[in-house]
Amino acid sequence: MPSPRVAQPVLQPVATVSVKLPRKAPVFADETHTQLVRRARKMHKVLTETYPDAHCELDFTNPLELLVATILSAQTTDVMVNKVTPTLFAKYPTAQAYAEADREEMEAILKPTGFFRAKTNSVMKLGQALVDEYDGIVPGKLEELVKLPGTGRKTANVVLGNAFGVPGITVDTHFGRLVRRFGWTTEEDPVKVEHLIGALFPKKDWTMLSHRLIFHGRRRCHAKKPACGACPVAQWCPSYGTGPTDPEAAAKLVKVPA
């Protein structure tokens, strides 16, 4: 099992990487599957160099903590989840503790994350299911994880990849947006996206690929106004020009987490 993620140090600014910009958006409409694989892997190589510290941004020390944190991350930020989980994890260190929790007390802790009543319900049911079916231990298989309350494929792959070292692709909103912008797929269905993108890369790269695309989506390739002029993979991106292409204007859009 890999080392758990804990609070990270301040990241170095990401706006200073070398960027080669095309004059206009590249066109890859007629590329073969082999050409797509080569382009996708080249983009991933550059993103690997751009985000050498890419990682799961949820703080945890064991599979149960990561599973709960990932469930709580729906409709909120990882930063917000990391603010409430120290209190939550200290009060409920086991699946049994979640199952036996006082609903009002847990709701008060989870309120800042939004949808706190539904999340409280999911976490309490999760604890009970783990106690009833797995002796309170988080299972390490996809087919078992997805049967747990509040746990879909995205959450399961986060847990597998980061708590168990089992490669998995996490198709969150950032990942899905970027692979479509990159022209790696046109699919919208998360499960189809997971399988199609997985076929472009070696299985060993899946977990870190997810982290790097999510890092890029949060820092540069924003939903409404991507920083195209400060993008290290612009020369291979058919969506170049969706956002400002002027390097100075684009640099102002790059977000540097504290």
Side-chain angles (χ1 to χ4, degrees):
M1 184 181 299
S3 299
R5 296 302 316 182
V6 294
Q8 297 297 314
V10 175
L11 301 179
Q12 295 299 314
V14 295
T16 57
V17 297
S18 177
V19 173
K20 182 177 180 181
L21 300 176
R23 293 183 178 180
K24 59 181 181 179
V27 178
F28 301 103
D30 297 325
E31 71 182 348
T32 64
H33 180 74
T34 298
Q35 291 171 328
L36 168 61
V37 170
R38 290 174 179 169
R39 180 169 66 88
R41 292 187 182 185
K42 177 61 177 178
M43 294 174 79
H44 181 225
K45 180 177 183 294
V46 174
L47 292 176
T48 298
E49 297 165 353
T50 305
Y51 306 108
D53 58 346
H55 59 272
C56 175
E57 295 186 277
L58 292 168
D59 296 338
F60 69 97
T61 63
N62 58 55
L64 177 61
E65 290 184 355
L66 180 57
L67 177 54
V68 170
T70 307
I71 291 172
L72 299 182
S73 68
Q75 305 299 316
T76 191
T77 65
D78 289 356
V79 172
M80 178 55 70
V81 174
N82 289 339
K83 287 181 179 179
V84 305
T85 49
T87 299
L88 184 76
F89 294 162
K91 190 172 182 63
Y92 309 106
T94 65
Q96 186 74 47
Y98 285 117
E100 298 174 348
D102 179 276
R103 182 176 296 275
E104 291 186 0
E105 290 181 356
M106 185 178 291
E107 286 181 352
I109 296 172
L110 300 185
K111 189 171 184 178
T113 69
F115 302 95
F116 60 95
R117 292 188 179 87
K119 290 179 180 179
T120 296
N121 192 52
S122 291
V123 172
M124 291 180 67
K125 286 184 176 180
L126 170 68
Q128 192 62 60
L130 289 173
V131 170
D132 292 344
E133 300 174 34
Y134 301 103
D135 295 323
I137 304 300
V138 176
K141 294 183 179 180
L142 179 66
E143 59 270 23
E144 295 176 336
L145 283 168
V146 295
K147 295 178 182 179
L148 295 171
T151 308
R153 288 186 69 91
K154 182 189 78 171
T155 296
N157 278 323
V158 170
V159 174
L160 289 173
N162 296 283
F164 291 102
V166 178
I169 290 179
T170 303
V171 185
D172 72 348
T173 55
H174 300 290
F175 189 97
R177 180 177 75 251
L178 266 62
V179 296
R180 286 185 285 273
R181 274 188 178 166
F182 289 170
W184 293 359
T185 182
T186 58
E187 279 292 345
E188 297 279 347
D189 179 78
V191 177
K192 291 181 180 179
V193 169
E194 178 187 336
H195 292 302
L196 286 169
I197 302 306
L200 301 179
F201 297 91
K203 188 173 183 179
K204 64 182 178 61
D205 292 341
W206 288 356
T207 299
M208 290 308 301
L209 170 72
S210 301
H211 290 324
R212 288 162 188 146
L213 262 66
I214 292 170
F215 257 52
H216 191 59
R218 288 175 172 169
R219 289 152 178 77
R220 281 189 170 85
C221 198
H222 313 302
K224 294 183 179 179
K225 202 172 184 181
C228 291
C231 178
V233 295
Q235 62 182 303
W236 302 285
C237 181
S239 299
Y240 174 73
T242 302
T245 58
D246 175 71
E248 186 174 344
K252 295 178 180 178
L253 298 174
V254 177
K255 295 182 179 180
V256 183

